[in-house]
Amino acid sequence: MGGAGVLLGAVAPVALMVATGFLAARTLRLDRGPLTRLTLFVLVPFLVFDQLWRNTADPAGALRLALAFALASAAFALAGWGVGRLFGLPAAVRASLTATTAFPNTGNMGLSVALFALGEVGLERATIVFVVATVLLFGFGPALFHGGSLREQLAMTLRLPLIWAVVLGLAAGAANLQLPANLGGGVHLLAQGAIPMLLLALGMQIAESRIQVGAYDLLASLLRVLGGPVVAFWIGRALGLGGADLVVLVLISGMPAAVNTYLMAAEFGGDAPRTARVVVLSTLISFLTLPLVLGWALRAAGVG
């Protein structure tokens, strides 16, 4: 498959599933809430457990990738905060801009595009990034929007099934655990359901949102989908990343704003309407920018 075919093959299946969710929401009047909760609290933990249990990535390389993404996230947050200060934005708007800049969509979009772009190798590494991103989002998101003690943030994080899926997956992988009675096959089937459901839910989210484009929305969206990959590339290079690790780091850093940033803003006091608009607009823009980011990342890392 040529370069253009790789790019199209990575984005087109994602677009198809998002469009299907969009049409389903518009025609069937489905309630997205139960679907989202089922996906986030059941299927995604199975996906994370399955990937960490079966993960064959070099531990040192996985640690470098996790560190690179954590440092990139800190740089994204500083960039969002700095732009907010530069333009004199109110505190709630500045918090929302920081969040949409710092937290890319590593779940719905990141796992999916990495899988279609690089296959199981991409999904393996994208899962590592997804785990780090989730801990950062739920660990620091509430404090960013609302404040709260470290104890409260830790308690919220420990209530997430995803966190326990990480612990169990790492332990099972380290022990080379073999599940009896083909339970591993059942785990894998549940895990495979996560990505289609994530993308369907994203399409439904877009269907429920009003599309408005203002100067703030466009700037915040471009900061996320274009600024993110550039920052991540240089951090990855500085840490010695190459090959699939660098491609996944750059690719996921070019994802749109995470849907959960809107949920955080609505729950803890950010500017929820602006956050929602940036999530939707950056998602739509990303279908144009992701092929460019992926092509650049593949060339820069010497992959394919």
Side-chain angles (χ1 to χ4, degrees):
M1 182 182 292
V6 171
L7 303 182
L8 183 61
V11 177
V14 174
L16 172 64
M17 284 184 267
V18 171
T20 301
F22 179 91
L23 292 174
R26 286 293 177 91
T27 57
L28 300 178
R29 308 299 181 193
L30 299 177
D31 183 359
R32 183 175 53 87
L35 174 64
T36 301
R37 287 192 294 273
L38 174 67
T39 304
L40 292 179
F41 293 109
V42 179
L43 296 180
V44 168
F46 271 106
L47 174 65
V48 168
F49 174 85
D50 187 59
Q51 285 295 310
L52 294 178
W53 173 38
R54 301 172 185 271
N55 203 304
T56 59
D58 170 54
L63 184 60
R64 280 200 306 273
L65 177 59
L67 176 61
F69 183 77
L71 291 174
S73 296
F76 302 155
L78 286 173
W81 182 85
V83 171
R85 291 280 294 182
L86 178 65
F87 287 96
L89 300 178
V93 180
R94 192 163 64 244
S96 294
L97 178 61
T98 303
T100 56
T101 305
F103 301 120
N105 188 333
T106 58
N108 305 64
M109 295 282 286
L111 294 172
S112 311
V113 176
L115 172 63
F116 290 120
L118 298 173
E120 289 297 326
V121 170
L123 180 59
E124 189 177 76
R125 285 156 174 80
T127 301
I128 295 168
V129 173
F130 173 65
V131 168
V132 175
T134 300
V135 172
L136 292 175
L137 176 61
F138 287 96
F140 294 99
L144 176 63
F145 285 114
H146 179 66
S149 68
L150 179 62
R151 182 178 179 180
E152 292 172 337
Q153 296 168 41
L154 181 60
M156 172 182 292
T157 301
L158 291 178
R159 286 198 297 268
L160 297 173
L162 175 64
I163 300 303
W164 297 106
V166 171
V167 173
L168 293 174
L170 289 172
N176 196 25
L177 180 67
Q178 300 298 315
L179 296 180
N182 199 28
L183 286 176
V187 168
H188 189 59
L189 283 174
L190 284 166
Q192 287 182 309
I195 287 177
M197 293 286 273
L198 283 166
L199 293 174
L200 289 171
L202 179 58
M204 295 171 69
Q205 167 73 33
I206 293 174
E208 295 171 6
S209 304
R210 295 179 59 189
I211 307 298
Q212 294 179 322
V213 181
Y216 169 89
D217 311 313
L218 184 59
L219 174 63
S221 298
L222 293 176
L223 187 62
R224 167 90 295 283
V225 300
L226 295 179
V230 174
V231 172
F233 173 79
W234 289 111
I235 289 177
R237 280 296 200 201
L239 292 180
L241 292 186
D245 291 335
L246 184 61
V247 172
V248 168
L249 175 67
V250 172
L251 180 62
I252 289 187
S253 297
M255 294 294 152
V259 176
N260 281 330
T261 57
Y262 164 70
L263 301 179
M264 287 282 183
E267 181 70 22
F268 295 108
D271 190 325
R274 285 181 189 262
T275 306
R277 292 199 301 269
V278 172
V279 169
V280 173
L281 182 59
S282 64
T283 299
L284 296 175
I285 292 175
S286 72
F287 285 107
L288 300 176
T289 58
L290 279 176
L292 302 177
V293 171
L294 176 56
W296 171 54
L298 290 170
R299 289 192 299 274
V303 175

